[in-house]
Amino acid sequence: MIIGLGMAFNACQKPEPIFPKEDNSLQDIWVAIPGVKDASFMPVYNTTKDSAYIEVPYFYPVESDNETDITKLILRANLPLDAVMTPAIGTQMDLSKPVKLEIKGGTGAKRNIVVVTKKVGDLSVKKATMTYSLDGVDTEVEGIVKDNDVIFYAIPGTDVSKVKVAVTVNAHSTTTLVAGATVDLSAAVPFTVKSIDGAVKTYQLKVQPPVKKPYGIGITRKLFVKLGAAGGISTDYTETSMAVSGDYLVIVSNTNPSKLRLFNRTNGTFVRDMPLPAPGYYSFQMQNDSTGALLGATFAASGDKFQLYRWKSATDPAPEKILEWTNNVAWGGLGRRVRIYGDLQKDAVVYATGSLTNEVFKWRIKDGKVINAANTPDVNAAPVISTYKSGSGSWGYLADAVPTSTSLSGTYFLNYGSEIALVNGGTNITTATFNTDAAGYIFHAPSLYFNFNGASYFAFLKYTSWSLNAGNIALFDVTDPSAVSMSPNNPGYSAFNVFNSEVISGAADNGNGTGDLCVSFSPDRSSAYIYMVLTNVGIIGYELTTY
């Protein structure tokens, strides 16, 4: 009985009243092209939001020839609950003229909005290219469109006074820039794009330097390739070493007496012969230090004198002999490979490997003078001889011991036929070795170590032919010593092997596997210039930048 009464009372309760909403605001309005998926276009409102301006493409898709029919478009909107819009929308209507819409809220409050729809052409730049000549080779750079600017990024010093520029615009638009026109982009150059509806937009062509990287190398570019006779390279196995100083490359021919020749370091053309430092000078090696000073080494067979000459620059008329030491230790000869680190006029080290041994002969230079074990200047100073303990005896005729500091006990790289190793200079025991796939199965020599933009790099000539007449520069970031053994299968390998040059090759065999690498820097250290000579083949140069 009680339950029945409860149900009766509940059944007689009055429902909650529903009051009309007074909101008559417009939440969204847009235009759609009938039958075309995702072809919706939103408005721009005036400040009082009583006018909406909607632009629809003159053609849709924009790159097609399908002209939009503005008399057959659909207006759609999102309205508040209880609000009603008149005239009704959601079906095809003529939007070629402004359309006045009334929105009435549930309480009868009204507001008006005018929708103005306009067909617009395409004023955008789809693509822009700049082509300039670098040593007779056309180099193309693609531009970046940013607002009203078309920006081409080029390394500082690039000649952009006579470049060819082309821009691509919509097929129904035109531009004042003639395709392939030659322009001077030393300063900004304006051009316009005119769309099919008559609208015009002005752009500026600009050349800017790329953003500098905080670490390591960025953009690289080839400077030149000179092969065979065109590069002044014989097929007599004679061009075995190269150094760079100022505007010149110095190539050493190991004839007896030797021949020293200067080449333009920018384009690789022969300039002139360089005088020998002494009559009968016989050399396999010349190296440059961090400032461009040069160190030339004589070849010393067992019992002969090993001599070092220093040039302040490639044009120094009076090179100085800074060492003369009789080789009674390296029975296979000393001087086929010599490497240096530091400033030859201040503090530096010189490492030379003994042929048919496993010994590195080390000298230290302090305040521009070779010093002996007592740390006093001595032009006849005996070397510190370090025996490599991780190998299996002689490394043959050619090995590179590449210092990484000005300490005689500092870490060094050792590169010879069997391996590329990072060696503890105090114990002369390997701490890491290059992965065989990274080093290459054929041959890898010579080597180079340098510091640039916060990173430490190790480079070597990587041979790609069993005749040793083809190879390229392989460059590795060794800032983190733990990366030295990285396999090419490692996901981070590209951050280790950061650059590989073009392969150069020749017809004549290079059975001795000789060649050389050298590096120099721009005064502001924004660029490093790395060069390779491959015996019997040619020379190649690259610019490595911080951009």
Side-chain angles (χ1 to χ4, degrees):
M1 183 68 176
I2 294 173
I3 295 173
L5 284 172
M7 293 177 64
F9 280 122
N10 288 334
C12 292
Q13 281 185 334
K14 292 181 180 180
E16 293 262 345
I18 299 176
F19 298 102
K21 307 293 184 183
E22 64 178 350
D23 189 3
N24 60 5
S25 62
L26 178 68
Q27 295 175 350
D28 269 318
I29 192 166
W30 66 94
V31 167
I33 298 176
V36 181
K37 186 179 179 181
D38 298 326
S40 300
F41 307 98
M42 304 303 293
V44 174
Y45 297 99
N46 64 350
T47 54
T48 56
K49 210 170 182 181
D50 59 8
S51 294
Y53 302 92
I54 303 178
E55 294 182 346
V56 296
Y58 210 97
F59 298 89
Y60 196 86
V62 175
E63 298 298 327
S64 73
D65 294 325
N66 304 322
E67 184 174 349
T68 302
D69 188 347
I70 199 170
T71 66
K72 296 179 181 179
L73 297 177
I74 298 175
L75 265 178
R76 300 190 187 280
N78 287 329
L79 300 176
L81 185 67
D82 292 345
V84 177
M85 178 179 281
T86 55
I89 62 173
T91 59
Q92 290 187 21
M93 59 193 305
D94 185 356
L95 297 182
S96 61
K97 296 178 181 179
V99 175
K100 184 177 180 180
L101 302 171
E102 180 185 86
I103 306 170
K104 185 166 75 171
T107 61
K110 300 177 182 178
R111 67 173 296 179
N112 296 321
I113 184 169
V114 177
V115 177
V116 180
T117 306
K118 180 183 179 182
K119 282 169 60 175
V120 296
D122 185 5
L123 290 169
S124 66
V125 172
K126 309 297 180 183
K127 182 180 180 181
T129 59
M130 175 184 74
T131 304
Y132 62 94
S133 179
L134 179 65
D135 297 325
V137 178
D138 286 343
T139 301
E140 184 178 278
V141 176
E142 189 165 336
I144 303 296
V145 181
K146 185 178 181 181
D147 299 325
N148 296 339
D149 293 331
V150 178
I151 303 169
F152 299 105
Y153 291 102
I155 299 169
T158 302
D159 183 5
V160 294
S161 62
K162 294 179 180 179
V163 300
K164 290 184 178 180
V165 176
V167 297
T168 302
V169 298
N170 186 281
H172 302 284
S173 302
T174 59
T175 175
T176 55
L177 192 65
V178 179
T182 299
V183 296
D184 181 358
L185 287 186
S186 301
V189 174
F191 72 98
T192 61
V193 176
K194 184 177 182 180
S195 62
I196 192 169
D197 63 328
V200 175
K201 181 175 180 178
T202 300
Y203 291 89
Q204 298 270 353
L205 295 171
K206 295 181 176 180
V207 175
Q208 295 180 359
V211 177
K212 281 192 174 184
K213 290 167 60 71
Y215 173 90
I217 67 171
I219 297 171
T220 64
R221 65 180 180 120
K222 184 170 64 177
L223 298 174
F224 65 86
V225 175
K226 297 286 186 179
L227 301 178
I233 302 299
S234 72
T235 54
D236 299 327
Y237 301 90
T238 55
E239 285 82 19
T240 54
S241 183
M242 179 168 59
V244 57
S245 174
D247 295 330
Y248 302 104
L249 293 171
V250 185
I251 293 184
V252 178
S253 298
N254 64 2
T255 52
N256 194 0
S258 290
K259 190 174 184 179
L260 308 179
R261 292 177 295 160
L262 299 181
F263 292 75
N264 183 296
R265 73 168 182 84
T266 302
N267 56 35
T269 57
F270 172 73
V271 178
R272 64 177 182 271
D273 288 337
M274 180 176 171
L276 297 178
Y281 179 76
Y282 180 39
S283 175
F284 285 74
Q285 285 281 280
M286 180 176 282
Q287 294 286 289
N288 60 277
D289 72 0
S290 58
T291 71
L294 299 169
L295 186 78
T298 61
F299 175 72
S302 180
D304 288 347
K305 293 178 179 178
F306 179 69
Q307 299 172 329
L308 297 177
Y309 287 87
R310 178 178 59 203
W311 289 256
K312 295 176 183 177
S313 69
T315 55
D316 183 358
E320 176 188 4
K321 182 163 65 175
I322 61 173
L323 176 74
E324 182 173 288
W325 175 77
T326 301
N327 170 32
N328 288 317
V329 182
W331 69 274
L334 188 67
R336 287 188 173 91
R337 290 284 189 215
V338 177
R339 292 292 180 256
I340 63 176
Y341 183 92
D343 184 336
L344 290 170
Q345 313 222 45
K346 295 179 181 178
D347 295 326
V349 291
V350 181
Y351 283 19
T353 49
S355 296
L356 302 178
T357 74
N358 59 350
E359 295 171 332
V360 183
F361 296 72
K362 305 176 181 179
W363 286 267
R364 185 169 173 228
I365 294 173
K366 183 179 180 181
D367 298 325
K369 302 292 184 181
V370 175
I371 59 174
N372 57 25
N375 290 325
T376 58
D378 185 355
V379 73
N380 303 121
V384 172
I385 302 176
S386 298
T387 302
Y388 179 51
K389 297 177 181 177
S390 295
S392 55
S394 165
W395 47 48
Y397 284 97
L398 297 176
D400 266 347
V402 186
T404 64
S405 71
T406 56
S407 169
L408 293 180
S409 59
T411 298
Y412 63 94
F413 282 92
L414 187 63
N415 181 359
Y416 64 104
S418 298
E419 63 178 344
I420 301 175
L422 185 63
V423 182
N424 182 307
T427 64
N428 292 291
I429 295 173
T430 294
T431 60
T433 58
F434 263 71
N435 178 276
T436 305
D437 290 331
Y441 286 94
I442 297 175
F443 197 53
H444 39 76
S447 319
L448 178 68
Y449 176 87
F450 63 96
N451 301 301
F452 180 62
N453 198 29
S456 299
Y457 292 106
F458 181 74
F460 56 86
L461 197 167
K462 189 173 185 178
Y463 292 83
T464 58
S465 163
W466 289 104
S467 298
L468 307 183
N469 58 0
N472 65 283
I473 303 168
L475 181 67
F476 297 83
D477 184 340
V478 294
T479 310
D480 179 3
S482 67
V484 168
S485 300
M486 188 181 294
S487 164
N489 296 324
N490 189 302
Y493 186 75
S494 62
F496 174 50
N497 182 197
V498 294
F499 171 74
N500 295 286
S501 77
E502 170 188 325
V503 172
I504 62 173
S505 61
D509 289 356
N510 176 23
N512 294 330
T514 50
D516 211 354
L517 302 177
C518 60
V519 68
S520 67
F521 306 94
S522 62
D524 64 356
R525 301 282 294 196
S526 64
S527 292
Y529 306 95
I530 189 167
Y531 304 91
M532 177 182 82
V533 59
L534 180 54
T535 304
N536 288 356
V537 177
I539 53 178
I540 188 170
Y542 277 83
E543 180 180 11
L544 316 175
T545 77
T546 56
Y547 296 103

